[in-house]
Amino acid sequence: MARPASAPRYTFRAASAVITFWVGIAALVVIVGSPVVNRDWSVLSFTLGPSLVLAWVLWIALYRPAVHYDDARVVVVNIGRRHVLPWGHVTNVRQGIGMIFELDASKPVVAYGVPAPRQAGNIASTIDRRTRPAFDLNRDADLLDGVRRSATPSSDPVVSRWEVVPLSIGAVLVIGLIIEVALGL
């Protein structure tokens, strides 16, 4: 069943991972951009390969993992894997280290890269336990569970697949870097 173009789509992604990704990319731009500005092509050829591999690692490990959902399905994007879960097959959503989607006919799917629950900090708890801020450990999971309960049942199958294109890009970059190091370029 195709998703209507007008249906809103929402995304959960860890803000700390996104910030770390962009800081890393900015540092790599400086590392690669400095030899370009100075027209030092030998330094550029030395830094370009490792910078591309590191940018790919940052992207696939920090930015890409997310949970996308709408009223019909949830799409869990992990490192190298994508799971399309129609809400009709999801029996429960709970928060662990990642968000855990329990399915009706198979093992649960864990979404890595989503905001992890945190308890109130030590400063608040040492001042006064009665006034420390309450933190709902399952806020995001409860929101998704509410979407699951209100979704219309679907007979679409659960689809889990390897993400061939992003993994192939990484393999090509790593092989290129190994060849560059082996040949001493």
Side-chain angles (χ1 to χ4, degrees):
M1 179 172 146
R3 186 172 72 90
S6 62
R9 184 175 178 190
Y10 303 97
T11 300
F12 281 130
R13 184 178 281 132
S16 59
V18 172
I19 291 168
T20 305
F21 168 77
W22 285 113
V23 168
I25 293 300
L28 291 174
V29 166
V30 169
I31 289 170
V32 172
S34 178
V36 171
V37 169
N38 295 330
R39 296 178 188 213
D40 191 352
W41 308 121
S42 63
V43 173
L44 177 65
S45 67
F46 178 75
T47 61
L48 187 60
S51 295
L52 288 174
V53 170
L54 189 55
W56 175 81
V57 168
L58 290 172
W59 173 73
I60 200 147
L62 296 176
Y63 188 78
R64 192 166 183 279
V67 172
H68 309 283
Y69 70 95
D70 57 21
D71 57 348
R73 71 188 52 82
V74 61
V75 178
V76 176
V77 180
N78 287 331
I79 297 174
R81 297 280 290 172
R82 177 181 298 261
H83 307 276
V84 179
L85 313 172
W87 286 118
H89 293 287
V90 178
T91 59
N92 191 19
V93 181
R94 60 188 168 86
Q95 189 83 39
I97 290 182
M99 198 166 291
I100 302 164
F101 295 89
E102 295 175 1
L103 304 176
D104 55 0
S106 61
K107 64 181 184 175
V109 174
V110 178
Y112 303 102
V114 295
R118 292 176 291 163
Q119 295 182 5
N122 290 336
I123 294 174
S125 63
T126 57
I127 294 173
D128 187 359
R129 289 186 180 269
R130 292 171 293 152
T131 61
R132 76 175 168 196
F135 188 83
D136 184 4
L137 295 176
N138 292 315
R139 180 189 58 193
D140 297 335
D142 289 342
L143 175 96
L144 285 177
D145 203 43
V147 172
R148 176 191 66 82
R149 284 191 304 269
S150 66
T152 56
S154 170
S155 62
D156 292 348
V158 172
V159 178
S160 294
R161 67 177 187 264
W162 288 99
E163 291 289 287
V164 176
V165 173
L167 294 174
S168 298
I169 290 170
V172 167
L173 288 172
V174 169
I175 290 169
L177 182 61
I178 290 170
I179 291 171
E180 179 182 347
V181 169
L183 297 177
L185 298 176

